[in-house]
Amino acid sequence: MITKLAPFFRSSVFKKQLVAITGLILVGFIIVHLAGNFIIFLGPDAFNHYSATLHAVPELLWIARVILIVAAIVHIYFTIVLTIENRKSGGAGRYAVKTTHGETNFAKKFMILTGLLLFFFLFLHLADFTLGEKTVEQTTLKGVDLGLYGLVWNSFLNPFRVVVYLAAVWCVGMHLSHGIQSMFQSIGFYHNRYTPQIRSASLVLGAVIAAGFSLIPVVIIVRHLMGGPTV
Amino acid sequence: MSRKINLTLKVWRQKNASSSGRFETYEAKGIDTDASFLEMLDVVNEQLEKRGVEPIAFDHDCREGICGMCGAVVNGMAHGPEKETTLCQLHMRKFKDGDTITIEPWRANGFPIVRDLVCDRSAFDRIISAGGFIGVRTGQAPEAHSVPVGKDKADWAMDAAECIGCGACVAACPNASAMLFVSAKVTHLNVLPQGQPEKNKRVLGMVSQMDAEGFGNCSNHYECEAACPKGISVKNIAKMNRDYLAAAIKA
């Protein structure tokens, strides 16, 4: 079985398809994560309730986490392998005159870079909001302990963190603007009418997701300047 | 109206596969704007020979855009800046008097340089040998309607079969991937009823040979489609990906 399957894991086409399928799982997570995060706009009670619901059944949470971790590892491993092979193939930047035929773009060329930046950001992000015990000071707003809501609010009042966060979510947007349509192509979906629409949707979705995540610190900062949350 | 223009050429000169090449600059004087790019190189070569300089080696054959022999990277673009045009069909009227034109060979590890602008594309032949054919007995042409082929399938197969195997897709790909060529050759047989019995064997064999030749992996930039002188669509790559996945699941 293993020896029969081994050649596929060395094949250029199958490796891309693994990247595509794991990418789909990760895109799914990003969209759910964004939708969930928007609950923050409904106030501390709703947001903390959402967080508690996610943690209500630890077994389910861990199943989801394991799926995501495995998907991320497979995705990152194979994209690195593919990139190394592409560098060895006498590829990019080999001509004296640097130009394109008009199809490639910044997002496509820097997929591995935006991907790796996101990988490093992930650890910062988990350290900020998921891992470790938080002090009461970190979660307290105007003298009231607001739990995760307070933590997010206080975190985004740090300009350094906001800049890193915004850079990261726009990396997500750029990565997805190419990644989503790329997924369809790699798995083998092409339709004369729908494929051009998928390519446009991929660009739009990338921008919408990045803008959506950006909205969170922006709204928090604006509300802070206007006098903070009504506690 | 034909005019005469003067150009400066920066041409890649390389003695053989093992030597390291470099750019040489040549003046191309009095080039007729009705000349094709290859005719321009012929004129330059004549001038070089008169000066005792070794002429620039380049591949060519039919010079009417259907054989796939010619090709060079002109100002960073495979077959030059014109869409769906082979180098032999690119005309000098597309350039301006006084232009500097940089001419380089296809660059990819799968295509080792033989000399100057000539590279060895026999990797493509080995990929075809790995499954790009239908293994049936030959004989007289069968009656046209003995195997019905749907119009959509026939059109798609014909579009894919337009590929002349020039290698511009590899040359234009940021990853030097041969996916457009291989997918065109897989698809033009795999969409037809005649190609069905060997469908899985074909896609697995050709992809594995493609990988063995040292070409890169496709990362969906679609530069190949834009560079292709025959307008082969990346739709074929998607079809090949699909066929490959189906064949892998069945294997």
Side-chain angles (χ1 to χ4, degrees), chain A residues 172-191:
Chain A
V172 173
M174 233 164 61
H175 201 77
L176 296 189
S177 73
H178 176 59
I180 293 173
Q181 62 86 25
S182 202
M183 216 159 61
F184 286 90
Q185 173 78 4
S186 293
I187 296 173
F189 180 88
Y190 191 103
H191 187 281

Side-chain angles (χ1 to χ4, degrees), chain A residues 102-123:
Chain A
E103 282 298 321
T104 190
N105 61 32
F106 190 77
K108 289 180 183 182
K109 280 184 194 158
F110 294 101
M111 283 302 273
I112 193 75
L113 184 73
T114 49
L116 287 176
L117 285 174
L118 285 177
F119 178 67
F120 294 121
F121 171 75
L122 188 66
F123 293 101

Side-chain angles (χ1 to χ4, degrees), chain A:
Chain A
M1 184 71 183
I2 297 292
T3 47
K4 211 178 149 195
L5 286 178
F8 294 113
F9 287 90
R10 286 195 295 271
S11 133
S12 60
V13 174
F14 194 67
K15 279 183 284 197
K16 272 155 47 82
Q17 289 168 335
L18 287 173
V19 170
I21 293 161
T22 50
L24 179 68
I25 297 172
L26 297 172
V27 173
F29 166 73
I30 292 276
I31 292 170
V32 173
H33 186 49
L34 176 63
N37 284 0
F38 271 168
I39 298 175
I40 201 164
F41 297 134
L42 300 179
D45 291 342
F47 190 63
N48 289 336
H49 177 70
Y50 162 68
S51 164
T53 313
L54 282 186
H55 291 83
V57 188
E59 293 81 5
L60 281 181
L61 182 68
W62 273 105
I63 289 172
R65 282 178 175 170
V66 168
I67 291 172
L68 286 171
I69 291 169
V70 171
I73 290 172
V74 171
H75 191 79
I76 295 167
Y77 174 76
F78 282 105
T79 44
I80 291 176
V81 169
L82 289 166
T83 305
I84 292 171
E85 287 174 357
N86 288 346
R87 292 287 151 90
K88 284 189 193 153
S89 66
R94 60 214 194 266
Y95 296 113
V97 179
K98 306 270 180 267
T99 183
T100 75
H101 290 78
E103 282 298 321
T104 190
N105 61 32
F106 190 77
K108 289 180 183 182
K109 280 184 194 158
F110 294 101
M111 283 302 273
I112 193 75
L113 184 73
T114 49
L116 287 176
L117 285 174
L118 285 177
F119 178 67
F120 294 121
F121 171 75
L122 188 66
F123 293 101
L124 274 180
H125 196 56
L126 288 174
D128 274 351
F129 299 123
T130 309
L131 303 173
E133 286 300 308
K134 303 298 170 193
T135 61
V136 180
E137 282 155 31
Q138 283 173 299
T139 55
T140 302
L141 272 178
K142 292 184 175 172
V144 185
D145 186 350
L146 292 179
L148 185 62
Y149 184 90
L151 177 67
V152 173
W153 188 287
N154 284 328
S155 299
F156 282 135
L157 298 182
N158 175 347
F160 173 73
R161 190 175 275 112
V162 173
V163 169
V164 171
Y165 176 87
L166 288 178
V169 298
W170 284 94
C171 276
V172 173
M174 233 164 61
H175 201 77
L176 296 189
S177 73
H178 176 59
I180 293 173
Q181 62 86 25
S182 202
M183 216 159 61
F184 286 90
Q185 173 78 4
S186 293
I187 296 173
F189 180 88
Y190 191 103
H191 187 281
N192 292 341
R193 188 178 341 141
Y194 300 129
T195 294
Q197 294 172 1
I198 289 171
R199 290 190 193 168
S200 317
S202 187
L203 273 175
V204 171
L205 213 57
V208 165
I209 287 170
F213 280 115
S214 306
L215 208 56
I216 296 164
V218 169
V219 168
I220 286 176
I221 291 165
V222 169
R223 286 185 59 195
H224 173 77
L225 296 175
M226 288 166 64
T230 38
V231 195

Side-chain angles (χ1 to χ4, degrees), chain B residues 75-88:
Chain B
N75 290 338
M77 294 175 92
H79 289 298
E82 283 295 295
K83 253 191 119 52
E84 295 192 21
T85 306
T86 56
L87 195 62
C88 61

